Amino acid sequence: FEVDVPTGLPVVLADGARLVRALSNLLDNARRHTATGGLVRLGASVAADAVVVEVADTGEGIPADALPHVFERYYRGDGPRTRGTGTGLGLAIARAVAEAHGGALAVQSEVGEGTTFRLSLSADL
């Protein structure tokens, strides 16, 4: 696990408990889908008028045909990576939290390379 969060980030006005829940869901997914010896990274940066929090992993990645569905409630994909894992609600909850705060949650993934989720939240710059 690696953390790359610079000091002096702008303030984000938000419901802390809900943001912790969203980040916890993202981190739990990253951990669950990264093999022993892989890397999960939590990072943050400023982009335009937002703070962007990234959760990236070196896991197996998400197939391109599944990417449009990962934020749907109860979607768990097909295949061995999703059998017996979670309820399919974590990413839907994380996106709902982002949007409730006027932000966004996006995903980028390559099979065999890993996945990155970017949570963008308006900042008080």
Side-chain angles (χ1 to χ4, degrees):
F1 184 73
E2 181 179 288
V3 178
D4 182 17
V5 178
T7 59
L9 288 172
V11 172
V12 173
L13 299 176
D15 180 330
R18 288 201 171 121
L19 283 182
V20 166
R21 171 97 186 258
L23 286 172
S24 177
N25 288 348
L26 296 175
L27 289 166
D28 186 51
N29 281 351
R31 178 197 52 80
R32 189 178 325 128
H33 294 291
T34 301
T36 302
L39 177 69
V40 173
R41 180 183 166 275
L42 173 66
S45 61
V46 177
D49 62 347
V51 170
V52 179
V53 178
E54 287 189 358
V55 175
D57 65 59
T58 58
E60 71 270 5
I62 302 169
D65 62 333
L67 285 174
H69 306 287
V70 296
F71 297 111
E72 295 173 6
R73 289 175 169 241
Y74 305 111
Y75 182 79
R76 292 180 25 183
D78 297 323
R81 70 179 280 280
T82 58
R83 284 193 198 115
T85 62
T87 61
L89 289 173
L91 294 177
I93 290 169
R95 179 173 262 182
V97 168
E99 291 174 350
H101 287 84
L105 180 60
V107 61
Q108 181 179 4
S109 188
E110 292 287 331
V111 172
E113 299 293 320
T115 303
T116 300
F117 285 92
R118 286 181 185 84
L119 173 62
S120 300
L121 299 165
S122 294
D124 191 14
L125 300 177

